[in-house]
Amino acid sequence: MSYNPTFQFSHAITRRPSASIVNGLRAEDTGTPDLALMQQHHNEYVGLLRETGADVTELEALEAFPDSVFVEDDALCLPGLAVLMRPGAPSRLGEVEHMAPALRKHFKTVAAIEGPGFIEGGDILLTDKEILVGKSARTDSEGIAELTRIVEPHGHVVREVDTPAGVLHFKTDCSLLGDNTILSTKRLDASGCFAGYRVIHTEDDEEAAANTIRFNQFVIMPSGFPKTAEKLMREGFEVRHVGNSECAKLDGGMSCLSLRFNA
Ligand code: CIR
């Protein structure tokens, strides 16, 4: 069956939030995340992924790793190839080995970034023609170079770009909506990294809407960004919302909560 591997997915992997999430990393303290509310939002998120017909694995919470709910940072999933990342946050390095068994069930080839560089999945945007990787406080040029050496023989092109200063991950500020179309904050688009793509901007004061996902027929957005949601609906996207108040306290959003792939 033919499919577009950038937004049509048969599978997703998520991990339940752990009670230790209250100790998760954050750039700024805006309050302690409420585990029960986060779990409720997480259930809604998983429910929407499943509504598209995808098979969704929910891994058990990992108490030793407060940020392990943000599974996207642990791996990059490409057609037939998964690459385990090497997170730039020391407290997250050990998460990766707990993701490996779930990926081995679905991928014939599971490669790994060995270092010395660092790279997190949140800095990687897969499009129809290339893999854009934003350098950030978590992802460096050595990590990107190692990823390039792994994926190039599989026919992928990697392009190193910059994440705006003070922004956690490249994809904190953008998402692939499909068919050469990207949702981006104006500040990230101003860098010129999306030349050749059709770019839809998040509305002013709604920058946090940029971390959205296209998952099969749905564009899944964090709740609370009505102007950007309206814009996407006018463009013909089938928009769904999930509460993100608790993950947002830890700089997390829609993409961070799943690994998405075809198997
Ligand atoms: C962290 O700082 O690593 C977590 N608190 C948030 C990770 C968000 N992940 C993502 O944007 N891909």
Side-chain angles (χ1 to χ4, degrees), residues 206-219:
E206 293 196 351
E207 282 72 18
N211 189 273
T212 279
I213 54 169
R214 173 77 190 272
F215 191 86
N216 297 324
Q217 70 268 40
F218 294 155
V219 168

Side-chain angles (χ1 to χ4, degrees), residues 35 47 50 52 64 66 98 106 119 121 127 142 149 153 166 175 177 226 229-230 232 237 257:
L35 178 63
R50 286 194 171 131
T52 73
H98 295 276
H106 297 288
I119 182 163
T127 79
E142 283 168 300
R149 288 194 295 276
S175 322
L177 295 174
E230 175 63 35
L232 295 181
F237 292 104
L257 295 172

Side-chain angles (χ1 to χ4, degrees), residues 13 15 23 36 62 72 76 109 119 141 199 210 237 239 253:
I13 297 176
R15 185 179 292 288
N23 300 317
L62 280 180
E72 173 181 66
L76 172 66
T109 309
I119 182 163
S141 290
V199 180
F237 292 104
V239 174

Side-chain angles (χ1 to χ4, degrees), residues 114-131:
E114 307 283 358
F118 295 99
I119 182 163
E120 296 191 355
D123 282 315
I124 305 178
L125 183 75
L126 180 63
T127 79
D128 285 339
K129 51 190 178 207
E130 59 186 343
I131 301 173

Side-chain angles (χ1 to χ4, degrees), residues 122 167-174 185 187 207-211 251 255:
V167 173
L168 175 62
H169 285 127
F170 185 67
K171 270 191 310 198
T172 304
D173 266 33
C174 67
T185 60
R187 69 184 166 204
E207 282 72 18
N211 189 273
D251 311 317
S255 75

